[in-house]
Amino acid sequence: MKKKILGLVTLASVLTLGLAACGGGNSKGTDSSGGSATGGSETTDVASFPIATTNKDEAIKDGVLDVAVATDSQFKGLFQWEFYQDAYDNMFMGPSHEQLFTNDGDFKITNDGAASLDLDQEAKKATITLKDGVTWSDGEPVTADDIIFPYEIIGHKDYTGIRYDETFRRIVGMDEYHDGKADSISGIKKVDDKTVEINYKDVNPSMLQAGGGVWSYAAPKHVLKDIAIKDMESSDPVRKNPVTFGPYYMSNIVPGESVEYSPNEHYWNGTPQLKKIVMTSVPTSSIVEALKSKQYDMVYQMPTDIYDTYKDLDGYTNLGREQTSYTYLGFKLGKWNKDKSHVEYNPDSKMADKALRQAMGYALDNGAVGDRFYAGLRSNATSLIPPVFKTTHNSEMKGYTLDIDKAKKLLDDAGYKDVDGDGIREGKDGKKFTIKFASMSGGETAQPLADYYIQQWKSIGLNVEYTTGRLIEFNSFYDKLENDDPEIDVYQAAWNTGTDPNPDGLYGPTAAFNYTRFESDENTELINNISSSKSFDADYQKEAFDKWQEYAFEEAFVIPTLFRNEVLPISDRVTNFSWAYDAPNPWATVGVSADTRK
């Protein structure tokens, strides 16, 4: 036993590793039995960060804005709302791809954007009306046909993306269209060139959320209509020269590396301030040095695990906000049936015993991880609804916190016993039991954090090994998840929920994003309650969200590990940029007040 204890990577050594990359630091930490890590690291309150630039100088003419996206992977370059899948492509779409609707601080749709939404609950009908002057970057007007076209893409049987789910099935006539029994969607009506009516089988409050039950985007039908839907994802208008109606358009794309943007002279909501924007992928290992040498005006996806190395850089201010995101552990419990667009839960899968999953959650001290790896910019996650959603987050839940004794008892009672006395538990059948763990590479923290998880699981007697023997590159990682690689039993990933907290799109039975492939009658019923018309009543909605969060905690098909805050370093020469969730499109107003960064 002494050799096994000394061989463990304790939280103390993991945290020392993480802090050494940030300039050092002293810490007390766990021993192999999983004691807590405390002291030695200053935490940071994201509420104290500004949310917008304070530079009041006038923007210069013909300014150029240099933007970095900190990433260790090349972006995929799926620059169409119907096809993009990850946060990196979404970052690159920011200056050019505008949504139809704006939203308030609670992410409710407002009518200040390119279109307005009217939801008639009694008639179960949504009416979308375009404003005058909304024009594509090639000079063609945005029309009702462009609002309807995304539904025809996503609902088509040859659609290659992953967004066809229950929100689309609720539209009258969508099932018939998807099954090839109808050439059009009977529930969608073009009233005139600017107005569309959509009839639903039922309506729910998510339809009032930005990015919720009503698709918030248009697609340029005049550009895409002659491309077969099965070929659309790989087509030039998606990957090389997208036509958009945001303040800028993508004028030059270097695949996987950078995008250059030029002003959209047809932009409907004012005149863009800049001559050019250049957005570039930059490795996380070199992003701080790039800032120190004043190469960029702002950095998206800035790693918070190295916050101490850039928190006081001359010439920059750090904006900060809560994220609509969380990190989580997911357990593979089945497969995706592509033909039926439905998850297939396997009650006999390796990780099917919820006691095993719960034990793995209680083995971890994510509160200490958040404090020590991320300077308090991340914290122990308690539920699957992040606290940024103040009206639906269950603030009473405590989540999974470190309790080694409880973890061991759960495994004992479930029948995972150490049969041969080597300190490692066998399976319920008495045979060798190995769990395959997949986690992504990238950044200073990925390896030591994953090592900590594996060794904490070892401390409760579980033999956990890396899928492929090492951490996995971002794109390969998600390819394996989507294709239900049998070498993944548990994985660590993160979700950006978007602006609608409804869990149907991530954990419902028809959601392709439901990577765990978990399904139960109770889970479906609880999600359906959230998605029902009864949830227009605020008290009912709150209760429905609370019950689902409590159920998800108990079943532990996914265990949230870290709530996340994000930091945006921004040059002091940048003007008129707000990072607030309820701000108008910041790319429409952003400028620079000097030719160079100082």
Side-chain angles (χ1 to χ4, degrees):
M1 285 300 292
K2 185 175 181 180
K3 288 183 178 179
K4 293 182 178 68
I5 292 172
L6 291 177
L8 297 182
V9 179
T10 66
L11 184 54
S13 60
V14 171
L15 295 176
T16 301
L17 254 177
L19 289 170
C22 305
N26 298 317
S27 65
K28 295 179 180 179
T30 65
D31 58 20
S32 59
S33 63
S36 65
T38 59
S41 179
E42 182 181 350
T43 60
T44 305
D45 180 11
V46 75
S48 66
F49 285 57
I51 195 63
T53 56
T54 57
N55 179 4
K56 301 302 182 184
D57 293 342
E58 188 174 343
I60 63 172
K61 186 178 180 181
D62 294 333
V64 176
L65 187 76
D66 294 298
V67 183
V69 177
T71 172
D72 295 310
S73 298
Q74 292 190 330
F75 59 77
K76 287 185 175 180
L78 293 173
F79 297 134
Q80 186 68 35
W81 294 115
E82 292 72 31
F83 295 102
Y84 96 93
Q85 297 180 22
D86 63 60
Y88 298 119
D89 281 356
N90 189 34
M91 295 293 168
F92 281 91
M93 291 162 67
S96 51
H97 291 60
E98 190 162 284
Q99 303 181 25
L100 290 170
F101 309 120
T102 51
N103 60 269
D104 63 18
D106 210 23
F107 305 104
K108 297 286 194 296
I109 289 173
T110 61
N111 290 331
D112 301 319
S116 62
L117 172 69
D118 178 67
L119 184 66
D120 187 330
Q121 296 178 33
E122 290 188 8
K124 300 179 182 179
K125 180 176 69 176
T127 302
I128 302 170
T129 305
L130 280 163
K131 289 186 176 175
D132 292 336
V134 183
T135 306
W136 294 108
S137 53
D138 64 357
E140 291 293 318
V142 179
T143 70
D145 291 329
D146 301 320
I147 293 175
I148 295 170
F149 197 45
Y151 294 91
E152 296 174 339
I153 295 172
I154 293 172
H156 198 276
K157 61 181 177 61
D158 293 335
Y159 172 61
T160 56
I162 54 178
R163 285 183 167 78
Y164 184 68
D165 59 14
E166 204 59 40
T167 62
F168 289 92
R169 289 187 174 92
R170 289 193 177 97
I171 297 170
V172 172
M174 182 60 84
D175 287 335
E176 292 79 0
Y177 175 75
H178 181 72
D179 293 339
K181 298 176 182 177
D183 295 329
S184 61
I185 305 163
S186 61
I188 300 180
K189 177 185 176 183
K190 176 182 175 180
V191 178
D192 56 43
D193 282 345
K194 294 183 180 297
T195 311
V196 174
E197 290 180 353
I198 306 176
N199 291 280
Y200 292 85
K201 300 170 186 174
D202 56 76
V203 295
N204 64 73
S206 282
M207 299 173 73
L208 298 175
Q209 294 283 136
V214 178
W215 189 248
S216 298
Y217 317 97
K221 186 172 182 178
H222 67 285
V223 173
L224 297 169
K225 62 184 174 64
D226 294 326
I227 302 172
I229 288 175
K230 65 181 177 64
D231 300 325
M232 204 172 281
E233 183 175 321
S234 59
S235 68
D236 285 356
V238 170
R239 293 185 175 269
K240 293 183 179 181
N241 48 11
V243 172
T244 58
F245 67 85
Y248 295 85
Y249 69 94
M250 293 176 163
S251 51
N252 185 38
I253 298 171
V254 180
E257 297 181 14
S258 65
V259 178
E260 185 176 297
Y261 310 80
S262 297
N264 176 10
E265 62 179 310
H266 307 289
Y267 184 54
W268 70 278
N269 195 24
T271 302
Q273 298 296 301
L274 297 161
K275 176 183 178 181
K276 182 170 63 174
I277 298 173
V278 181
M279 191 176 290
T280 307
S281 290
V282 180
T284 57
S285 59
S286 60
I287 190 60
V288 174
E289 287 304 315
L291 284 176
K292 288 179 178 178
S293 60
K294 304 294 192 292
Q295 293 181 38
Y296 298 101
D297 288 296
M298 63 176 74
V299 182
Y300 280 92
Q301 299 289 102
M302 192 66 187
T304 49
D305 58 344
I306 55 172
Y307 173 68
D308 286 344
T309 65
Y310 62 85
K311 66 179 181 179
D312 296 318
L313 288 181
D314 289 339
Y316 290 91
T317 299
N318 290 312
L319 308 185
R321 66 183 185 182
E322 288 183 307
Q323 288 182 263
T324 57
S325 306
Y326 54 88
T327 311
Y328 71 97
L329 294 172
F331 300 90
K332 273 294 188 180
L333 302 169
K335 295 183 177 180
W336 176 252
N337 186 321
K338 189 173 183 179
D339 292 336
K340 295 182 179 179
S341 297
H342 204 283
V343 300
E344 289 184 347
Y345 170 68
N346 178 10
D348 298 318
S349 59
K350 184 189 293 185
M351 309 306 293
D353 192 329
K354 70 179 180 182
L356 171 62
R357 306 193 296 265
Q358 291 172 343
M360 293 178 75
Y362 283 118
L364 307 176
D365 190 349
N366 285 303
V369 167
D371 284 342
R372 311 305 292 277
F373 273 108
Y374 302 101
L377 289 169
R378 295 188 185 178
S379 60
N380 183 56
T382 57
S383 85
L384 292 176
I385 305 296
V388 68
F389 297 105
K390 292 177 175 54
T391 59
T392 52
H393 168 68
N394 188 335
S395 60
E396 300 299 316
M397 293 178 62
K398 303 302 181 185
Y400 285 88
T401 55
L402 182 68
D403 193 332
I404 294 295
D405 290 339
K406 186 170 186 176
K408 288 180 176 180
K409 187 175 189 307
L410 281 165
L411 293 173
D412 289 340
D413 293 347
Y416 295 92
K417 304 291 179 81
D418 178 10
V419 176
D420 56 14
D422 66 350
I424 298 299
R425 299 172 187 268
E426 277 67 41
K428 295 181 182 182
D429 58 2
K431 297 180 181 178
K432 182 178 179 181
F433 186 70
T434 300
I435 297 170
K436 293 289 188 177
F437 173 48
S439 194
M440 282 176 277
S441 60
E444 300 282 353
T445 304
Q447 188 68 62
L449 179 56
D451 287 345
Y452 164 63
Y453 281 179
I454 283 182
Q455 300 306 336
Q456 285 298 101
W457 291 327
K458 189 174 183 180
S459 76
I460 61 172
L462 294 176
N463 181 35
V464 182
E465 298 177 352
Y466 286 119
T467 301
T468 75
R470 62 184 63 84
L471 299 186
I472 305 169
E473 185 272 334
F474 176 85
N475 291 314
S476 297
F477 174 88
Y478 278 104
D479 284 343
K480 289 179 180 294
L481 274 191
E482 291 165 15
N483 293 300
D484 300 319
D485 189 318
E487 289 299 302
I488 298 178
D489 299 316
V490 59
Y491 61 93
Q492 179 184 215
W495 274 131
N496 184 336
T497 65
T499 48
D500 178 16
N502 189 321
D504 187 35
L506 295 179
Y507 302 114
T510 62
F513 281 130
N514 182 349
Y515 291 140
T516 69
R517 313 312 186 196
F518 175 79
E519 180 193 13
S520 74
D521 290 343
E522 187 171 0
N523 187 57
T524 300
E525 180 182 0
L526 290 171
I527 290 177
N528 285 345
N529 288 342
I530 291 172
S531 302
S532 76
S533 58
K534 294 179 182 178
S535 278
F536 283 108
D537 178 90
D539 292 336
Y540 180 92
Q541 182 190 51
K542 174 60 175 168
E543 183 179 3
F545 267 101
D546 284 354
K547 286 183 177 180
W548 180 78
Q549 289 170 83
E550 291 161 1
Y551 173 79
F553 167 79
E554 172 65 24
E555 291 300 317
F557 50 88
V558 160
I559 294 177
T561 54
L562 294 168
F563 288 142
R564 300 156 69 106
N565 299 300
E566 57 186 336
V567 176
L568 179 72
I570 191 163
S571 169
D572 292 340
R573 77 169 185 145
V574 177
T575 185
N576 293 324
F577 184 90
S578 173
W579 209 26
Y581 287 115
D582 59 348
N585 189 340
W587 300 106
T589 57
V590 67
V592 292
S593 60
D595 288 321
T596 58
R597 292 171 286 276
K598 297 181 181 180

